[in-house]
Amino acid sequence: MTHPFLDLAPLTAARFASIEDRVARLLGTEQDVVIMQGEALLPLEGAIRATAGPGTTALNVITGPYGQTFGDWLRDCGATVIDLAVPFHTAVTAAQVRDAFAAHPGIDFVSLVHAEAATGNTNPVAAVGEVAREHGALFYLDAVASVGAEPVLPDAWGVDLCVIGAQKAMGGPAGVSAVSVSERAWARMAANPAAPRRSYLSLLDWKERWTDGGRRALPHAPAQLEMLALEACVERIEAEGPETVMDRHRSAAAATRAGALALGGGLEPYVREARDAAPVATTLRAPAGVAASDLVARALTADPALALAAGGGALAKEMIRVNHYGAQATRGTILAALTSLATALTAHGVTVRLEAALEAAEAAWR
């Protein structure tokens, strides 16, 4: 028997390189782009371990769980880590970053998450990048959730290591990811004796065996299905237009926020200021006395396909996440989520205004 996913012709080095080029165009970057054969945690960890070591003083911005993870990796590498933690319902400011440099002038590495899908906030990357450039610090950015939902511009923002994944706003697979690498970052890796080599985590292996070799021979068998899926989702973004795709995500976020506020019953946006809210996902604070995880469980029982999730860990009690990304950045997704939340709240004895919520969501869709 045959199957469209099986018995495919081998993926050539030229095809692999062409997909890297399309990702680079999506990011508007002249930097080297390396596509890695795994979920985005692979290049996220690999980039830190390649560039950080005992001589590194890192400013690690924490606006959600991934920032906490990066701090752990940096410490594992022997770096001195200054954590700049801000409440998850807000975003970091350039002034806070500037103050951190003033207090710790030895900082030579900055790690930041662009959009924290887990907490629903987004950070001002351009402004943070400006401060990092002023001090000559290497700038590492997790843009896994933001790419496709809002602009990601490594060159314009002075990002030295920009990691993206396809599984959120790009609407692609989880098993493939990419990182753009500046010349400064390559130099930092080359000078780091602890940078992974002969390892799946190694970016330097990719550089030497693939990029520097003219991208003519792949260093190992590629993850063919994931690569073809990545190519397809980039092609779809190109066809729809990146601005149109981002507009859909912005509209979904605005509609969710407006609808939640109009629904009432104590449901409110978790990220307090709209300017700090990520377009990729909207987080909501459950009413007092009602567990967010219970609301989400009740809603998903009625419709398991809803784009709803409870917050992770301790946030499960208070946070509801509406995952309006990729193919789910639609009016229908938002209206269905609001309707199901209204039904679940009503079952908990909370009075809500569903009609007003739906009208507000429709009016906010841009």
Side-chain angles (χ1 to χ4, degrees):
M1 63 178 292
T2 61
H3 192 282
F5 292 160
L6 303 175
D7 307 318
L8 298 170
L11 187 72
T12 65
R15 182 79 170 272
F16 194 105
S18 73
I19 299 170
E20 283 186 337
D21 292 341
R22 292 178 89 159
V23 171
R25 286 195 295 273
L26 181 68
L27 297 176
T29 185
E30 298 295 325
Q31 298 177 3
D32 291 329
V33 168
V34 178
I35 294 178
M36 301 193 76
Q37 307 291 275
E39 200 271 337
L41 283 172
L42 174 63
L44 285 169
E45 182 175 356
I48 281 180
R49 296 195 182 277
T51 52
T56 303
T57 300
L59 175 64
N60 179 50
V61 181
I62 301 176
T63 58
Y66 282 100
Q68 293 171 328
T69 297
F70 300 159
D72 292 339
W73 288 338
L74 287 160
R75 290 183 179 89
D76 287 346
C77 293
T80 299
V81 181
I82 295 97
D83 285 326
L84 172 53
V86 302
F88 290 178
H89 62 257
T90 186
V92 75
T93 66
Q96 290 172 311
V97 174
R98 199 177 300 279
D99 289 345
F101 271 100
H104 306 277
I107 292 169
D108 61 358
F109 185 101
V110 176
S111 53
L112 177 70
V113 178
H114 188 182
E116 284 269 13
T119 49
N121 54 33
T122 191
N123 288 300
V125 181
V128 173
E130 183 177 350
V131 178
R133 285 197 302 275
E134 289 172 3
H135 293 83
L138 203 74
F139 189 17
Y140 162 100
L141 182 70
D142 172 355
V144 174
S146 56
V147 64
E150 53 188 306
V152 176
L153 303 169
D155 293 8
W157 296 342
V159 179
D160 295 289
L161 293 156
C162 181
V163 178
I164 67 167
Q167 70 268 32
K168 292 283 196 306
M170 289 180 71
V176 64
S177 49
V179 54
S180 66
V181 187
S182 73
E183 289 300 324
R184 290 199 324 145
W186 284 131
R188 180 79 71 98
M189 293 180 208
N192 181 10
R197 303 305 304 269
R198 297 168 297 282
S199 164
Y200 207 58
L201 285 171
S202 178
L203 284 166
L204 282 173
D205 287 356
W206 273 99
K207 176 175 170 55
E208 293 180 1
R209 298 179 60 192
W210 171 245
T211 307
D212 289 352
R215 301 189 300 174
R216 289 189 292 269
L218 286 163
H220 54 68
Q224 173 139 316
L225 294 178
E226 286 77 9
M227 289 298 294
L228 294 176
L230 174 61
E231 181 182 50
C233 77
V234 174
E235 188 174 69
R236 186 166 60 183
I237 291 171
E238 291 171 346
E240 186 176 354
E243 285 298 327
T244 302
V245 175
M246 289 187 284
D247 282 344
R248 279 199 293 108
H249 285 83
R250 285 189 287 261
S251 292
T256 305
R257 191 176 185 90
L261 286 167
L263 188 63
L267 191 70
E268 60 184 20
Y270 187 87
V271 178
R272 293 176 183 173
E273 301 293 334
R275 66 173 181 271
D276 296 333
V280 69
T282 297
T283 47
L284 304 172
R285 192 180 299 276
V290 180
S293 55
D294 290 345
L295 287 176
V296 170
R298 184 180 292 271
L300 293 179
T301 298
D303 183 359
L306 288 170
L308 292 174
L315 294 174
K317 294 181 179 180
E318 60 180 334
M319 181 188 288
I320 300 161
R321 192 170 70 244
V322 183
N323 295 317
H324 45 67
Y325 51 72
Q328 293 181 311
T330 66
R331 278 187 177 86
T333 293
I334 308 312
L335 300 181
L338 291 169
T339 300
S340 293
L341 286 173
T343 300
L345 286 166
T346 300
H348 277 79
V350 178
T351 301
V352 295
R353 302 183 298 273
L354 176 58
E355 185 175 345
L358 298 180
E359 289 177 356
E362 287 280 10
W365 192 278
R366 291 173 260 175

